[in-house]
Amino acid sequence: MAWPNIFQRGTLFSRFSHHHVVVFLLTFFSYSLLHASRKTFSNVKVSISKQWTPSAFNKSVRLPVEIWSSNHLFPSAEEATLFLGTLDTIFLFSYAVGLFISGIVGDRLNLRWVLSFGMCSSALVYAFLVTAAVQFAGGIVIFFGLLVSPEEIGLPGIEAEEHFEEDSHRPLINGADNEDEYEPNYSIQEGSAVTQVKAISFYQACCLPGVIPYSLAYACLKLVNYSFFFWLPFYLSNNFGWKEAEADKLSIWYDVGGIIGGTLQGFISDILQKRAPVLALSLLLAVGSLVGYSRSPNDKSINALLMAVTGFFIGGPSNMISSAISADLGRQELIQGSSEALATVTGIVDGTGSIGAAVGQYLVSLIQDNLGWMWVFYFFILMTSCTILFISPLIVRETCYLMQRRQAHVLSE
């Protein structure tokens, strides 16, 4: 099997400078702050649910039970849980709208302005002071420190570099019928002039090969991933009776599994030069991990291990679709290498995923209230299976291509 360009070109890493490192660290730093601000709400769900129901007592003010119970928001913990699910749904619907809009805006405005404005403005409306203050400060750092293009420091632009190193930037997803006859084309010739393609419309982005299947698949997968994200500490405390602080710490292992899974699976897909087969295998194993985690005993060590495995096979593919695959979809040769299309495509994929996640949060609370946590896991298994179903045409096509490439390699030896 022929190794990809990342191994064939010995000068790849020499092309990176300290500017690349700074951009990576700043974008990683900004996403960490945004993630932390969202994570805070899921970590305090148990406390919020107790304070909204008559089972909780105001120990700080020491009001009589009659007065405290008459001022609760909900008559039972079940109704409080349903309302928490409704809040998650409202948040994720607005999140989805923001992704669609920010994707289009990001293709037309300076990305540093968009990111900085988003961080600072969202910090002004989160209910948790510490994470909001740190996130606002991070938005200021991004505004003054993030470089969004080589031209800002006098280096050649992306289009000029791609003209000389086209093959090394070849996306792993494209719309060519015969991928062996790929001919990169990054501009439209009009007479003797070369016109670079600018931002594409929302409809044009939706019509790109692979965008709709991956968007629908991500709607199902993000539903499962964000359900773990929003409900895992609550589930651990509610189902096993563990303290809220212990449940919060233990839920970190799901994120750890997702980080490792996304990194390793992305690396493997880079070697294979195909994404869908790696996703398919991981999602099939995710079904088994969901079955195993749903039957986890009341043991924190075993639960953490099963949780990390589940995060590896669910969080990993989710991270791949929202990052690497979205990038591949946004730089297909059909759009002539237009870098301005990337944010729009990413917004469509991530926004569609957030719509699915938004619907799922209310369904999780509804299913749990009426049928119990085991049926919630059955629902997760169904959604994971739907993810595989939506990308099955891509799986078949890319698997056949890998087999043909392998056969051709054997015959050439």
Side-chain angles (χ1 to χ4, degrees):
M1 181 177 67
W3 290 101
N5 294 323
I6 189 174
F7 297 111
Q8 291 178 339
R9 296 180 180 270
T11 60
L12 175 65
F13 293 102
S14 63
R15 294 174 50 247
F16 294 111
S17 66
H18 69 281
H19 297 295
H20 295 86
V21 177
V22 172
V23 170
F24 170 78
L25 291 177
L26 284 178
T27 51
F28 181 86
F29 166 72
S30 63
Y31 187 78
S32 300
L33 293 180
L34 290 168
H35 183 78
S37 65
R38 295 181 300 177
K39 182 69 173 175
T40 306
F41 180 71
S42 63
N43 288 346
V44 297
K45 271 187 174 179
V46 176
S47 297
I48 292 176
S49 178
K50 289 181 179 179
Q51 291 178 8
W52 285 351
T53 55
S55 61
F57 300 101
N58 194 330
K59 297 181 180 179
S60 59
V61 183
R62 298 185 183 280
L63 293 174
V65 175
E66 294 79 10
I67 298 178
W68 175 244
S69 298
S70 64
N71 288 278
H72 61 262
L73 293 177
F74 301 98
S76 64
E78 289 75 16
E79 291 194 18
T81 301
L82 285 174
F83 185 72
L84 287 172
T86 303
L87 290 180
D88 290 340
T89 297
I90 295 173
F91 170 80
L92 284 171
F93 266 122
S94 60
Y95 179 52
V97 173
L99 285 170
F100 285 118
I101 296 176
S102 62
I104 297 173
V105 172
D107 281 340
R108 291 159 174 81
L109 297 179
N110 190 298
L111 288 174
R112 179 175 65 250
W113 301 348
V114 176
L115 180 57
S116 179
F117 176 79
M119 293 181 66
C120 292
S121 59
S122 62
L124 293 176
V125 297
Y126 275 107
F128 304 99
L129 181 61
V130 175
T131 53
V134 175
Q135 181 176 313
F136 188 90
I140 300 299
V141 173
I142 291 297
F143 182 81
F144 289 101
L146 182 64
L147 296 173
V148 296
S149 66
E151 291 89 339
E152 292 186 3
I153 52 175
L155 295 178
I158 298 176
E159 288 80 7
E161 186 175 351
E162 285 179 340
H163 179 73
F164 293 102
E165 298 191 16
E166 293 165 339
D167 187 65
S168 65
H169 293 279
R170 175 184 174 180
L172 302 191
I173 298 173
N174 59 69
D177 293 331
N178 188 350
E179 302 186 36
D180 293 329
E181 298 177 357
Y182 170 81
E183 294 182 0
N185 183 11
Y186 295 98
S187 61
I188 298 177
Q189 300 288 342
E190 293 183 356
S192 59
V194 177
T195 303
Q196 293 295 335
V197 178
K198 298 303 180 183
I200 62 175
S201 69
F202 182 87
Y203 176 76
Q204 289 174 323
C206 289
C207 293
L208 291 174
V211 171
I212 295 300
Y214 273 116
S215 297
L216 295 176
Y218 194 42
C220 299
L221 186 59
K222 194 170 185 177
L223 183 155
V224 179
N225 191 41
Y226 267 56
S227 295
F228 274 92
F229 176 74
F230 280 108
W231 289 100
L232 190 53
F234 185 87
Y235 164 74
L236 295 174
S237 180
N238 181 271
N239 192 59
F240 297 107
W242 297 339
K243 294 181 180 179
E244 184 178 25
E246 295 175 344
D248 292 341
K249 293 178 181 178
L250 199 66
S251 66
I252 295 175
W253 287 103
Y254 180 83
D255 295 323
V256 172
I259 293 171
I260 298 175
T263 304
L264 182 59
Q265 293 169 36
F267 177 74
I268 295 174
S269 67
D270 283 342
I271 294 178
L272 296 177
Q273 296 186 324
K274 292 296 174 185
R275 309 287 190 197
V278 178
L279 284 178
L281 178 60
S282 181
L283 292 172
L284 286 173
L285 295 174
V287 173
S289 67
L290 284 169
V291 174
Y293 187 71
S294 66
R295 291 165 172 77
S296 173
N298 194 347
D299 183 278
K300 294 177 182 176
S301 299
I302 298 177
N303 192 285
L305 176 61
L306 294 175
M307 187 189 304
V309 173
T310 304
F312 183 93
F313 292 122
I314 292 179
S318 180
N319 292 334
M320 277 186 60
I321 295 177
S322 64
S323 56
I325 290 178
S326 295
D328 290 339
L329 292 172
R331 58 189 182 93
Q332 302 179 59
E333 71 270 16
L334 292 179
I335 50 176
Q336 315 295 332
S338 171
S339 60
E340 288 81 2
L342 179 58
T344 300
V345 172
T346 303
I348 292 172
V349 175
D350 213 355
T352 306
S354 295
I355 292 176
V359 175
Q361 302 318 297
Y362 183 76
L363 291 178
V364 166
S365 61
L366 190 65
I367 294 172
Q368 188 275 328
D369 183 43
N370 291 278
L371 300 174
W373 284 109
M374 185 58 68
W375 280 94
V376 173
F377 283 99
Y378 293 153
F379 176 57
F380 290 165
I381 292 172
L382 175 62
M383 290 296 99
T384 305
S385 302
C386 289
T387 304
I388 302 174
L389 179 63
F390 281 125
I391 62 172
S392 56
L394 300 174
I395 295 172
V396 172
R397 188 183 72 179
E398 295 187 5
T399 302
C400 291
Y401 171 75
L402 288 175
M403 295 176 63
Q404 292 173 359
R405 190 175 68 179
R406 177 62 179 174
Q407 184 179 10
H409 177 71
V410 172
L411 293 175
S412 65
E413 292 181 346

